[in-house]
Amino acid sequence: MKKFIFIAVLLTCFISCQDDDDYQNIINDNSLDESLNLLISESSNGEGNSFFTLPESGDYAAIPQDPLNPITDAKVALGQMLVHETATGGDPKMEDRKFQYACATCHPVAAGFNAGRRQGIGEGGVGFGIRGEGRFMDPTMPLDSLDVQPVRVPTLLNLAYQDVALWDGRFGGTGTNAGTEAGWDLIPENFEGFQGIEVQAMQGQDEHRLLVDENFVDTYNYRTMFDAAFPELSQEERYSRRTAGLAIAAFNRTLLSNEAPWQEYLKGDLSALSDQEKRGAIVFFDEGKCVSCHTGPALKDRRFHSFGFGEFDNTPDAIVKPGVDITSIAKGRGNFTGNPNDDFKFKTPTLYNLADNGFFGHGSTFSSIKDVITYKNEGIPQNSNIPSSQLADEFGGLELTEDQINDLTVFISEALRDPNLTRYVPEAINSGFCFPANDDLARADLGCD
């Protein structure tokens, strides 16, 4: 690292500047690509650009998948429809809410397959807005019946690069969760050996009051798609919550942000990034220490870390249902494993398309990417109850300048944003209902009436 800075200084003809000016000139236009390539090589143990490159969404052999659920075209096609099909909202607590919501209600493409508000709302939400920001709790819905979670809705993007699911990683019966069997009592799919994406797709149907059965299949003309996706199963097994979950998981694994400018740069188009984005990438791989956790093709490791983020009860307009124990939720991975060493640690998220969703941290305690970077730079935890011994080594002490923070913000906001995610959305769903939400206000917002 010192060697490349020395060379860069020589290339700038020994221009003498101060503070931020030093940063701008040391990392000068002529040396950006060379410097970045060196850092990529160092961060990938010499593998280079391919270590950070996402495969094409149709290249199933290159996409990590569950051996118990091989990806096929037929599963992906069915899963795409089921994620967006509001007719799956067939098991509400309130009868008049039927067929008003789907997976995509809280994972809309317009918000980068994340919720467009601090908390996603399934049943009991009304309206949608443009990207989900206009979905609100129906005041006539009893709070204890509302489908709302006390943690930030995770994106569906780049899920293939994890073997467990949820912020605390409790879903998934292999790899990362080896040795956590004591916490699987209510997760039978873990005992079957399914990975987290598959478990989440099955368990999520129960949690979010979705219903896929043979009656749904026939009512909305999905029999042909189920037959194509699961020809090896008997008809008694083929039209079910389980097969629906497997199809949804297969589709979700193909949701890759592989058209982001950073991905184009990695594939050889050096003009895909602006000079500022390249400077931000250098900060990402070097002084910012971002790559320590945000690594690999999806820019996320398979580990859990504590950066001291606060909880939902610290955010404006937070909806906390009766009986929710925020103190336990704040323990993150430790709340699941019971291991004190895991307390306050949460799964590393992908950084792609953050600019589309607008809220950050498992408690949605930030609404600006720059604010998150500044927070990490300063190293003062929002949750003052977290022992310093639990905080990640990369939290605080970075001493980034304002220019470096700005450049890193632009890299994450722009270079890591795939602008063409609508390629993953069907033109229509079999029911003909409005999607991704189908209540009266949402239909008006979405132009379905």
Side-chain angles (χ1 to χ4, degrees), residues 191-208:
F191 287 106
E192 295 181 62
F194 283 108
Q195 292 187 8
I197 302 172
E198 280 67 23
V199 177
Q200 183 175 21
M202 288 184 268
Q203 288 268 332
Q205 294 175 66
D206 301 333
E207 177 67 28
H208 301 298

Side-chain angles (χ1 to χ4, degrees), residues 156-176:
L156 298 182
L157 281 175
N158 306 319
L159 287 183
Y161 291 88
Q162 61 185 51
D163 65 342
V164 297
L166 302 188
W167 283 106
D168 62 11
R170 68 180 58 225
F171 287 167
T174 63
T176 300

Side-chain angles (χ1 to χ4, degrees), residues 388-401:
S388 59
S389 60
Q390 294 297 97
L391 295 170
D393 292 339
E394 296 80 7
F395 183 56
L398 303 180
E399 299 183 355
L400 300 182
T401 67

Side-chain angles (χ1 to χ4, degrees), residues 72-107:
T72 66
D73 287 338
K75 285 182 188 176
V76 171
L78 174 59
Q80 180 190 50
M81 297 293 278
L82 295 179
V83 164
H84 295 90
E85 177 61 83
T86 44
T88 60
D91 192 28
K93 288 194 174 181
M94 311 287 285
E95 186 66 20
D96 62 350
R97 311 285 173 164
K98 265 190 174 182
F99 314 133
Q100 294 185 0
Y101 52 88
C103 301
T105 306
C106 295
H107 297 282

